[in-house]
Each structure stands twice: as C-alpha cells, then as structure tokens.
Amino acid sequence: MAPLEITASRADPALLDLPWDQPLEDWPEDMLAALPRGISRHVVRFVRVSGRVLALKEINHHLAKREYEMLRLLGRIGVPSVVPFAVISGRTTRTGEPLDAVLITRHLQFSLPYRAVFSQVSREDTAQRLLDALAVLLVHLHIEGFYWGDVSLSNTLFRRDAGSFAAYIVDVETGALHEKLTDGQRHYDLDLARTNIIGELMDLQAGDLFDPEADPVEVGDDLVRRYDELWAALTERERFSADERWRVSARIEKLNRLGFDVGELEITTDLDGTTLSILPKVVDAGHHARRLMRLTGIDAQENQARRLLNDLDQYRASTEQQAEDEEFVAHEWLQHQYEPVVRAIPRSMRSKLEPPEFYHEVLEHKWFLSEKAGTDASLDETVRHYILNVLIHRPDEKSLVTTETSALPIFDS
C-alpha cells in the first residue's frame, strides 16, 4: 500500500484511523455523521473526528489541492466560506488500485443547505431572502476579484441572520482570484447564477417545496436586480456641486447601512472647483459585525449585529447614558441584557440556534407578547415564554448535515 499524504495546517492524528483504502461510497454507515444524500457527481460523506464534524469530498488530486488552497485564501481575505481542514492523497485500495484524493472541510455549524431551508421555513419570502443573501455574497466575492464560475444555491450554505440569511460559499473548484474582475466575468457569473437558480427553484416546485404559483424566472430576475443595485451603490462614481460636500458623509453612511465599510475614498474636483466626484475604492463587508465585535466581543452575522447594536442603542437611551462612553455602556448591556438571556437557554436546546440569533428572536417575541398584552412584557417573562412555546419545537441546527453538494464537472489535470 502506498503511503498516505496529508496536507493540513493542523493535522489531526485521528485522521489516520479512517479507512482511506476504501472508496468513500463504501465506508460503513456507523462511521458517518449523517446518512441523507443529495445529487452530486462527487461522493461526499460527513464524519465525526475528535469531536468535530468534517465534510469529506472524493475528488481529483489536483482539484482537491487547488480547492483547499483557494478556500484558505478566501478565508484570509474575509470571504464567508467553509474552512478547509486537510487533503488526503496517495490513496490506494488494499490491492494497490489508486483512489481519488479527499478534500476535507469543517462542517459549518448552524448552516443549512437551501433544500433544508425550504423544507423548514414556510415563509412566503423565503426564496427572496435566500437570494438577497446570495446577491450580497456574490457582490462581496466580485469586489475581492473572485470569479466563482458555478454560482448556485447548491454551492452555498445559509445561516440564519436576524430574520434573514447569511450566505457562505462551499464549492470553489471552478473559481479563480484576480486582481480585478472584468465586467464580462461579473456578468457571466451573474447570468450563470440566474440560470442555475431558476432550474433549482423549478426542481423545488416539482418536489412541492416551493410555491407552485411563483415564477422561478421572475425570482431569478430579482437576483440580478438586487445584485445590480448593490454593485452600483458600492462602486459607482457620484458627482455633485462643491457646496454639497455633506454628500460625502452621506455616501459613507449609506454604505455602512448596507453593511460595508469604506477603507478608501477617491475625491476629485473639476478644474474650477465647482464640482466634486466621489468613488469608493476600498470597500469591506461586515461593518456592523466588526463594530459589535469591537464593543462586546460577540461574533455575529451582519444582520444579527445590526439588531443587537440597535438594542444596545435602545438600552443606552432607556438608561439615560447617552453621554457615557459607548464602550462602557456596551459592557453594561452585555452583563445585564445579553448574557442573562443567552445563559437562560437550557443546555439541551443550545444546538437549536446560535446565541445572537436566539437573542434576536427573543426580542421579536418580546414585541409580539407586548403587542398581544397591550403592555410591555419583561425580558425574563419573554425568555421563559419563548423557550417553552417556540424554542422547544425548533429542530437542532448546529450539526444538521447533508451530503448535498453541487453537481460539478470533473476536469482532469
């Protein structure tokens, strides 16, 4: 038997205990973390190793190494993506027949594939919320110069984000990072996304998971409109007269509301100084998440962070601490508001929702109870009512795993 080659930033010796001399499709079921299987040209399995859930994908050695490095690079530049764990190559059967390499990624906790979202979430705007998240992800990738090459719902995982969703890229086999994308590359990615998503929604309709009266083509067109609007807001040059300089701050505030920070802004004037133009040059996603992390240490999705920061602002006003330092009030809010609510989650239910999402839902439930009773419900009362009447019925999402991945073509090196 040929020696195994393990490429990993932190190799886990427990990986050596797995049956690498067998094709993934033949691995015994008692080793697997989950059994559901989706449509894929790659064999994908989930296993538990050293207390963590790992996703294993059997794939050509060259593509496995390339995707591993690409995922590491995306992680370094802050793109929401699954985390690469290792590549196992040099695999052979006991009789010496060569086997494909295996790309290993960490399972993204509390994430849902799009089919699971549609089977669990019955809101009418589910498709729109998923596509909003995908549009934000695609714009983020394109700003960084990443050409995806196979945009689809299948290649994406979704995490709940304060009533919306946050999208994470999963498969990057066809992707490539450039210094800057051409309009042609962006439009090809966007057109491919539209085509793939229309097909995926039609497939959901055939399985009674998507509104039979909805038009998948119209939903696909909505994705394009959402992307174009966001791209324009982030990248278009804006011109105005010299006495409207307030519009510089207004442009930055608008981008902040969209969840982006402006790292560099180009400001130019015409020859006589009567007209100014501004163009964002360096734009980073995650404005609210970074601010929340700085103030409280809470790691949250962008919309969750926005919701928690709004609650922090309300706490600051209700306790009449507008004149106090923001960091001081944030520390007090964390101790007296956020942490008591999160600690109230029974241990047996902590795999149902992430703490920031739980806090957001408690705030939503508080509004619901207060509206129903005609008086302000207390936070303690709301937490108890939510746990006993809502959370107890929620499925566990921390390690809800699926083998569904995209059906990608396999290219020989």
mmCIF file with all atom_site columns, all heavy atoms in Angstrom, residues 322-339:
data_model
loop_
_atom_site.group_PDB
_atom_site.id
_atom_site.type_symbol
_atom_site.label_atom_id
_atom_site.label_alt_id
_atom_site.label_comp_id
_atom_site.label_asym_id
_atom_site.label_entity_id
_atom_site.label_seq_id
_atom_site.pdbx_PDB_ins_code
_atom_site.Cartn_x
_atom_site.Cartn_y
_atom_site.Cartn_z
_atom_site.occupancy
_atom_site.B_iso_or_equiv
_atom_site.pdbx_formal_charge
_atom_site.auth_seq_id
_atom_site.auth_comp_id
_atom_site.auth_asym_id
_atom_site.auth_atom_id
_atom_site.pdbx_PDB_model_num
ATOM 1   N N   . GLN A 1 322 ? -26.667 58.437 27.343 1.00 0.00 ? 322 GLN A N   1
ATOM 2   C CA  . GLN A 1 322 ? -26.186 58.936 26.053 1.00 0.00 ? 322 GLN A CA  1
ATOM 3   C C   . GLN A 1 322 ? -24.852 59.650 26.161 1.00 0.00 ? 322 GLN A C   1
ATOM 4   O O   . GLN A 1 322 ? -24.071 59.677 25.206 1.00 0.00 ? 322 GLN A O   1
ATOM 5   C CB  . GLN A 1 322 ? -27.222 59.876 25.431 1.00 0.00 ? 322 GLN A CB  1
ATOM 6   C CG  . GLN A 1 322 ? -28.494 59.184 24.993 1.00 0.00 ? 322 GLN A CG  1
ATOM 7   C CD  . GLN A 1 322 ? -29.563 59.208 26.075 1.00 0.00 ? 322 GLN A CD  1
ATOM 8   O OE1 . GLN A 1 322 ? -29.230 59.253 27.267 1.00 0.00 ? 322 GLN A OE1 1
ATOM 9   N NE2 . GLN A 1 322 ? -30.830 59.196 25.678 1.00 0.00 ? 322 GLN A NE2 1
ATOM 10  N N   . ALA A 1 323 ? -24.571 60.230 27.323 1.00 0.00 ? 323 ALA A N   1
ATOM 11  C CA  . ALA A 1 323 ? -23.323 60.981 27.493 1.00 0.00 ? 323 ALA A CA  1
ATOM 12  C C   . ALA A 1 323 ? -22.151 60.086 27.895 1.00 0.00 ? 323 ALA A C   1
ATOM 13  O O   . ALA A 1 323 ? -20.995 60.528 27.899 1.00 0.00 ? 323 ALA A O   1
ATOM 14  C CB  . ALA A 1 323 ? -23.511 62.077 28.543 1.00 0.00 ? 323 ALA A CB  1
ATOM 15  N N   . GLU A 1 324 ? -22.438 58.811 28.233 1.00 0.00 ? 324 GLU A N   1
ATOM 16  C CA  . GLU A 1 324 ? -21.370 57.899 28.647 1.00 0.00 ? 324 GLU A CA  1
ATOM 17  C C   . GLU A 1 324 ? -20.626 57.360 27.433 1.00 0.00 ? 324 GLU A C   1
ATOM 18  O O   . GLU A 1 324 ? -21.143 57.348 26.320 1.00 0.00 ? 324 GLU A O   1
ATOM 19  C CB  . GLU A 1 324 ? -21.965 56.726 29.440 1.00 0.00 ? 324 GLU A CB  1
ATOM 20  C CG  . GLU A 1 324 ? -22.587 57.110 30.769 1.00 0.00 ? 324 GLU A CG  1
ATOM 21  C CD  . GLU A 1 324 ? -21.555 57.459 31.827 1.00 0.00 ? 324 GLU A CD  1
ATOM 22  O OE1 . GLU A 1 324 ? -20.358 57.230 31.566 1.00 0.00 ? 324 GLU A OE1 1
ATOM 23  O OE2 . GLU A 1 324 ? -21.950 57.950 32.899 1.00 0.00 ? 324 GLU A OE2 1
ATOM 24  N N   . ASP A 1 325 ? -19.391 56.903 27.684 1.00 0.00 ? 325 ASP A N   1
ATOM 25  C CA  . ASP A 1 325 ? -18.625 56.284 26.616 1.00 0.00 ? 325 ASP A CA  1
ATOM 26  C C   . ASP A 1 325 ? -19.350 55.043 26.099 1.00 0.00 ? 325 ASP A C   1
ATOM 27  O O   . ASP A 1 325 ? -19.905 54.262 26.879 1.00 0.00 ? 325 ASP A O   1
ATOM 28  C CB  . ASP A 1 325 ? -17.232 55.866 27.118 1.00 0.00 ? 325 ASP A CB  1
ATOM 29  C CG  . ASP A 1 325 ? -16.320 57.052 27.337 1.00 0.00 ? 325 ASP A CG  1
ATOM 30  O OD1 . ASP A 1 325 ? -16.638 58.128 26.792 1.00 0.00 ? 325 ASP A OD1 1
ATOM 31  O OD2 . ASP A 1 325 ? -15.315 56.901 28.057 1.00 0.00 ? 325 ASP A OD2 1
ATOM 32  N N   . GLU A 1 326 ? -19.333 54.868 24.778 1.00 0.00 ? 326 GLU A N   1
ATOM 33  C CA  . GLU A 1 326 ? -20.037 53.749 24.160 1.00 0.00 ? 326 GLU A CA  1
ATOM 34  C C   . GLU A 1 326 ? -19.521 52.405 24.677 1.00 0.00 ? 326 GLU A C   1
ATOM 35  O O   . GLU A 1 326 ? -20.293 51.476 24.902 1.00 0.00 ? 326 GLU A O   1
ATOM 36  C CB  . GLU A 1 326 ? -19.863 53.826 22.636 1.00 0.00 ? 326 GLU A CB  1
ATOM 37  C CG  . GLU A 1 326 ? -20.698 52.826 21.867 1.00 0.00 ? 326 GLU A CG  1
ATOM 38  C CD  . GLU A 1 326 ? -20.545 52.981 20.367 1.00 0.00 ? 326 GLU A CD  1
ATOM 39  O OE1 . GLU A 1 326 ? -19.392 53.189 19.916 1.00 0.00 ? 326 GLU A OE1 1
ATOM 40  O OE2 . GLU A 1 326 ? -21.551 52.904 19.653 1.00 0.00 ? 326 GLU A OE2 1
ATOM 41  N N   . GLU A 1 327 ? -18.208 52.304 24.881 1.00 0.00 ? 327 GLU A N   1
ATOM 42  C CA  . GLU A 1 327 ? -17.629 51.044 25.350 1.00 0.00 ? 327 GLU A CA  1
ATOM 43  C C   . GLU A 1 327 ? -18.129 50.691 26.746 1.00 0.00 ? 327 GLU A C   1
ATOM 44  O O   . GLU A 1 327 ? -18.387 49.519 27.045 1.00 0.00 ? 327 GLU A O   1
ATOM 45  C CB  . GLU A 1 327 ? -16.100 51.121 25.347 1.00 0.00 ? 327 GLU A CB  1
ATOM 46  C CG  . GLU A 1 327 ? -15.471 51.148 23.966 1.00 0.00 ? 327 GLU A CG  1
ATOM 47  C CD  . GLU A 1 327 ? -15.537 52.514 23.307 1.00 0.00 ? 327 GLU A CD  1
ATOM 48  O OE1 . GLU A 1 327 ? -16.026 53.468 23.956 1.00 0.00 ? 327 GLU A OE1 1
ATOM 49  O OE2 . GLU A 1 327 ? -15.105 52.634 22.140 1.00 0.00 ? 327 GLU A OE2 1
ATOM 50  N N   . PHE A 1 328 ? -18.278 51.687 27.604 1.00 0.00 ? 328 PHE A N   1
ATOM 51  C CA  . PHE A 1 328 ? -18.760 51.447 28.968 1.00 0.00 ? 328 PHE A CA  1
ATOM 52  C C   . PHE A 1 328 ? -20.201 50.935 28.944 1.00 0.00 ? 328 PHE A C   1
ATOM 53  O O   . PHE A 1 328 ? -20.543 49.968 29.619 1.00 0.00 ? 328 PHE A O   1
ATOM 54  C CB  . PHE A 1 328 ? -18.674 52.734 29.788 1.00 0.00 ? 328 PHE A CB  1
ATOM 55  C CG  . PHE A 1 328 ? -19.252 52.619 31.175 1.00 0.00 ? 328 PHE A CG  1
ATOM 56  C CD1 . PHE A 1 328 ? -18.503 52.099 32.217 1.00 0.00 ? 328 PHE A CD1 1
ATOM 57  C CD2 . PHE A 1 328 ? -20.561 53.016 31.434 1.00 0.00 ? 328 PHE A CD2 1
ATOM 58  C CE1 . PHE A 1 328 ? -19.049 51.968 33.499 1.00 0.00 ? 328 PHE A CE1 1
ATOM 59  C CE2 . PHE A 1 328 ? -21.112 52.898 32.705 1.00 0.00 ? 328 PHE A CE2 1
ATOM 60  C CZ  . PHE A 1 328 ? -20.346 52.373 33.741 1.00 0.00 ? 328 PHE A CZ  1
ATOM 61  N N   . VAL A 1 329 ? -21.050 51.587 28.165 1.00 0.00 ? 329 VAL A N   1
ATOM 62  C CA  . VAL A 1 329 ? -22.453 51.175 28.086 1.00 0.00 ? 329 VAL A CA  1
ATOM 63  C C   . VAL A 1 329 ? -22.563 49.795 27.460 1.00 0.00 ? 329 VAL A C   1
ATOM 64  O O   . VAL A 1 329 ? -23.384 48.969 27.892 1.00 0.00 ? 329 VAL A O   1
ATOM 65  C CB  . VAL A 1 329 ? -23.272 52.196 27.275 1.00 0.00 ? 329 VAL A CB  1
ATOM 66  C CG1 . VAL A 1 329 ? -24.731 51.773 27.205 1.00 0.00 ? 329 VAL A CG1 1
ATOM 67  C CG2 . VAL A 1 329 ? -23.157 53.588 27.893 1.00 0.00 ? 329 VAL A CG2 1
ATOM 68  N N   . ALA A 1 330 ? -21.736 49.506 26.463 1.00 0.00 ? 330 ALA A N   1
ATOM 69  C CA  . ALA A 1 330 ? -21.769 48.190 25.822 1.00 0.00 ? 330 ALA A CA  1
ATOM 70  C C   . ALA A 1 330 ? -21.426 47.090 26.815 1.00 0.00 ? 330 ALA A C   1
ATOM 71  O O   . ALA A 1 330 ? -22.043 46.009 26.818 1.00 0.00 ? 330 ALA A O   1
ATOM 72  C CB  . ALA A 1 330 ? -20.806 48.160 24.646 1.00 0.00 ? 330 ALA A CB  1
ATOM 73  N N   . HIS A 1 331 ? -20.452 47.347 27.687 1.00 0.00 ? 331 HIS A N   1
ATOM 74  C CA  . HIS A 1 331 ? -20.076 46.363 28.704 1.00 0.00 ? 331 HIS A CA  1
ATOM 75  C C   . HIS A 1 331 ? -21.241 46.123 29.674 1.00 0.00 ? 331 HIS A C   1
ATOM 76  O O   . HIS A 1 331 ? -21.531 44.969 30.044 1.00 0.00 ? 331 HIS A O   1
ATOM 77  C CB  . HIS A 1 331 ? -18.840 46.851 29.463 1.00 0.00 ? 331 HIS A CB  1
ATOM 78  C CG  . HIS A 1 331 ? -18.374 45.909 30.522 1.00 0.00 ? 331 HIS A CG  1
ATOM 79  N ND1 . HIS A 1 331 ? -17.791 44.689 30.244 1.00 0.00 ? 331 HIS A ND1 1
ATOM 80  C CD2 . HIS A 1 331 ? -18.430 46.000 31.884 1.00 0.00 ? 331 HIS A CD2 1
ATOM 81  C CE1 . HIS A 1 331 ? -17.502 44.068 31.372 1.00 0.00 ? 331 HIS A CE1 1
ATOM 82  N NE2 . HIS A 1 331 ? -17.871 44.838 32.389 1.00 0.00 ? 331 HIS A NE2 1
ATOM 83  N N   . GLU A 1 332 ? -21.914 47.185 30.055 1.00 0.00 ? 332 GLU A N   1
ATOM 84  C CA  . GLU A 1 332 ? -23.050 47.054 30.968 1.00 0.00 ? 332 GLU A CA  1
ATOM 85  C C   . GLU A 1 332 ? -24.210 46.314 30.293 1.00 0.00 ? 332 GLU A C   1
ATOM 86  O O   . GLU A 1 332 ? -24.851 45.448 30.907 1.00 0.00 ? 332 GLU A O   1
ATOM 87  C CB  . GLU A 1 332 ? -23.503 48.445 31.414 1.00 0.00 ? 332 GLU A CB  1
ATOM 88  C CG  . GLU A 1 332 ? -24.594 48.428 32.473 1.00 0.00 ? 332 GLU A CG  1
ATOM 89  C CD  . GLU A 1 332 ? -24.962 49.825 32.931 1.00 0.00 ? 332 GLU A CD  1
ATOM 90  O OE1 . GLU A 1 332 ? -24.060 50.536 33.439 1.00 0.00 ? 332 GLU A OE1 1
ATOM 91  O OE2 . GLU A 1 332 ? -26.132 50.209 32.750 1.00 0.00 ? 332 GLU A OE2 1
ATOM 92  N N   . TRP A 1 333 ? -24.480 46.657 29.039 1.00 0.00 ? 333 TRP A N   1
ATOM 93  C CA  . TRP A 1 333 ? -25.547 45.967 28.280 1.00 0.00 ? 333 TRP A CA  1
ATOM 94  C C   . TRP A 1 333 ? -25.250 44.481 28.164 1.00 0.00 ? 333 TRP A C   1
ATOM 95  O O   . TRP A 1 333 ? -26.132 43.632 28.302 1.00 0.00 ? 333 TRP A O   1
ATOM 96  C CB  . TRP A 1 333 ? -25.646 46.593 26.886 1.00 0.00 ? 333 TRP A CB  1
ATOM 97  C CG  . TRP A 1 333 ? -26.532 45.840 25.921 1.00 0.00 ? 333 TRP A CG  1
ATOM 98  C CD1 . TRP A 1 333 ? -27.877 45.958 25.779 1.00 0.00 ? 333 TRP A CD1 1
ATOM 99  C CD2 . TRP A 1 333 ? -26.100 44.878 24.945 1.00 0.00 ? 333 TRP A CD2 1
ATOM 100 N NE1 . TRP A 1 333 ? -28.327 45.112 24.780 1.00 0.00 ? 333 TRP A NE1 1
ATOM 101 C CE2 . TRP A 1 333 ? -27.248 44.446 24.255 1.00 0.00 ? 333 TRP A CE2 1
ATOM 102 C CE3 . TRP A 1 333 ? -24.859 44.342 24.598 1.00 0.00 ? 333 TRP A CE3 1
ATOM 103 C CZ2 . TRP A 1 333 ? -27.202 43.491 23.227 1.00 0.00 ? 333 TRP A CZ2 1
ATOM 104 C CZ3 . TRP A 1 333 ? -24.798 43.394 23.579 1.00 0.00 ? 333 TRP A CZ3 1
ATOM 105 C CH2 . TRP A 1 333 ? -25.953 42.989 22.916 1.00 0.00 ? 333 TRP A CH2 1
ATOM 106 N N   . LEU A 1 334 ? -23.986 44.157 27.934 1.00 0.00 ? 334 LEU A N   1
ATOM 107 C CA  . LEU A 1 334 ? -23.578 42.754 27.805 1.00 0.00 ? 334 LEU A CA  1
ATOM 108 C C   . LEU A 1 334 ? -23.847 41.996 29.103 1.00 0.00 ? 334 LEU A C   1
ATOM 109 O O   . LEU A 1 334 ? -24.374 40.872 29.084 1.00 0.00 ? 334 LEU A O   1
ATOM 110 C CB  . LEU A 1 334 ? -22.089 42.699 27.450 1.00 0.00 ? 334 LEU A CB  1
ATOM 111 C CG  . LEU A 1 334 ? -21.498 41.336 27.074 1.00 0.00 ? 334 LEU A CG  1
ATOM 112 C CD1 . LEU A 1 334 ? -22.082 40.851 25.755 1.00 0.00 ? 334 LEU A CD1 1
ATOM 113 C CD2 . LEU A 1 334 ? -19.969 41.436 26.974 1.00 0.00 ? 334 LEU A CD2 1
ATOM 114 N N   . GLN A 1 335 ? -23.537 42.622 30.231 1.00 0.00 ? 335 GLN A N   1
ATOM 115 C CA  . GLN A 1 335 ? -23.691 41.963 31.529 1.00 0.00 ? 335 GLN A CA  1
ATOM 116 C C   . GLN A 1 335 ? -25.148 41.858 31.961 1.00 0.00 ? 335 GLN A C   1
ATOM 117 O O   . GLN A 1 335 ? -25.566 40.832 32.512 1.00 0.00 ? 335 GLN A O   1
ATOM 118 C CB  . GLN A 1 335 ? -22.906 42.716 32.595 1.00 0.00 ? 335 GLN A CB  1
ATOM 119 C CG  . GLN A 1 335 ? -21.403 42.512 32.539 1.00 0.00 ? 335 GLN A CG  1
ATOM 120 C CD  . GLN A 1 335 ? -20.727 43.133 33.743 1.00 0.00 ? 335 GLN A CD  1
ATOM 121 O OE1 . GLN A 1 335 ? -21.056 44.249 34.164 1.00 0.00 ? 335 GLN A OE1 1
ATOM 122 N NE2 . GLN A 1 335 ? -19.785 42.407 34.324 1.00 0.00 ? 335 GLN A NE2 1
ATOM 123 N N   . HIS A 1 336 ? -25.935 42.892 31.700 1.00 0.00 ? 336 HIS A N   1
ATOM 124 C CA  . HIS A 1 336 ? -27.294 42.950 32.245 1.00 0.00 ? 336 HIS A CA  1
ATOM 125 C C   . HIS A 1 336 ? -28.380 42.557 31.253 1.00 0.00 ? 336 HIS A C   1
ATOM 126 O O   . HIS A 1 336 ? -29.512 42.251 31.680 1.00 0.00 ? 336 HIS A O   1
ATOM 127 C CB  . HIS A 1 336 ? -27.587 44.361 32.773 1.00 0.00 ? 336 HIS A CB  1
ATOM 128 C CG  . HIS A 1 336 ? -26.678 44.784 33.883 1.00 0.00 ? 336 HIS A CG  1
ATOM 129 N ND1 . HIS A 1 336 ? -26.569 44.098 35.064 1.00 0.00 ? 336 HIS A ND1 1
ATOM 130 C CD2 . HIS A 1 336 ? -25.802 45.826 33.973 1.00 0.00 ? 336 HIS A CD2 1
ATOM 131 C CE1 . HIS A 1 336 ? -25.689 44.699 35.851 1.00 0.00 ? 336 HIS A CE1 1
ATOM 132 N NE2 . HIS A 1 336 ? -25.201 45.753 35.197 1.00 0.00 ? 336 HIS A NE2 1
ATOM 133 N N   . GLN A 1 337 ? -28.089 42.553 29.976 1.00 0.00 ? 337 GLN A N   1
ATOM 134 C CA  . GLN A 1 337 ? -29.105 42.234 28.982 1.00 0.00 ? 337 GLN A CA  1
ATOM 135 C C   . GLN A 1 337 ? -28.780 40.948 28.221 1.00 0.00 ? 337 GLN A C   1
ATOM 136 O O   . GLN A 1 337 ? -29.503 39.962 28.307 1.00 0.00 ? 337 GLN A O   1
ATOM 137 C CB  . GLN A 1 337 ? -29.240 43.392 27.970 1.00 0.00 ? 337 GLN A CB  1
ATOM 138 C CG  . GLN A 1 337 ? -29.739 44.688 28.567 1.00 0.00 ? 337 GLN A CG  1
ATOM 139 C CD  . GLN A 1 337 ? -31.233 44.653 28.863 1.00 0.00 ? 337 GLN A CD  1
ATOM 140 O OE1 . GLN A 1 337 ? -31.645 44.677 30.020 1.00 0.00 ? 337 GLN A OE1 1
ATOM 141 N NE2 . GLN A 1 337 ? -32.047 44.583 27.824 1.00 0.00 ? 337 GLN A NE2 1
ATOM 142 N N   . TYR A 1 338 ? -27.695 40.982 27.478 1.00 0.00 ? 338 TYR A N   1
ATOM 143 C CA  . TYR A 1 338 ? -27.404 39.893 26.550 1.00 0.00 ? 338 TYR A CA  1
ATOM 144 C C   . TYR A 1 338 ? -27.051 38.589 27.266 1.00 0.00 ? 338 TYR A C   1
ATOM 145 O O   . TYR A 1 338 ? -27.649 37.538 26.999 1.00 0.00 ? 338 TYR A O   1
ATOM 146 C CB  . TYR A 1 338 ? -26.269 40.305 25.619 1.00 0.00 ? 338 TYR A CB  1
ATOM 147 C CG  . TYR A 1 338 ? -25.909 39.257 24.588 1.00 0.00 ? 338 TYR A CG  1
ATOM 148 C CD1 . TYR A 1 338 ? -26.671 39.107 23.434 1.00 0.00 ? 338 TYR A CD1 1
ATOM 149 C CD2 . TYR A 1 338 ? -24.803 38.417 24.766 1.00 0.00 ? 338 TYR A CD2 1
ATOM 150 C CE1 . TYR A 1 338 ? -26.351 38.146 22.485 1.00 0.00 ? 338 TYR A CE1 1
ATOM 151 C CE2 . TYR A 1 338 ? -24.477 37.455 23.821 1.00 0.00 ? 338 TYR A CE2 1
ATOM 152 C CZ  . TYR A 1 338 ? -25.259 37.324 22.690 1.00 0.00 ? 338 TYR A CZ  1
ATOM 153 O OH  . TYR A 1 338 ? -24.930 36.358 21.759 1.00 0.00 ? 338 TYR A OH  1
ATOM 154 N N   . GLU A 1 339 ? -26.070 38.639 28.151 1.00 0.00 ? 339 GLU A N   1
ATOM 155 C CA  . GLU A 1 339 ? -25.596 37.401 28.774 1.00 0.00 ? 339 GLU A CA  1
ATOM 156 C C   . GLU A 1 339 ? -26.658 36.688 29.609 1.00 0.00 ? 339 GLU A C   1
ATOM 157 O O   . GLU A 1 339 ? -26.774 35.458 29.530 1.00 0.00 ? 339 GLU A O   1
ATOM 158 C CB  . GLU A 1 339 ? -24.339 37.683 29.606 1.00 0.00 ? 339 GLU A CB  1
ATOM 159 C CG  . GLU A 1 339 ? -23.126 37.994 28.733 1.00 0.00 ? 339 GLU A CG  1
ATOM 160 C CD  . GLU A 1 339 ? -21.875 38.250 29.532 1.00 0.00 ? 339 GLU A CD  1
ATOM 161 O OE1 . GLU A 1 339 ? -21.985 38.459 30.772 1.00 0.00 ? 339 GLU A OE1 1
ATOM 162 O OE2 . GLU A 1 339 ? -20.780 38.250 28.935 1.00 0.00 ? 339 GLU A OE2 1
#
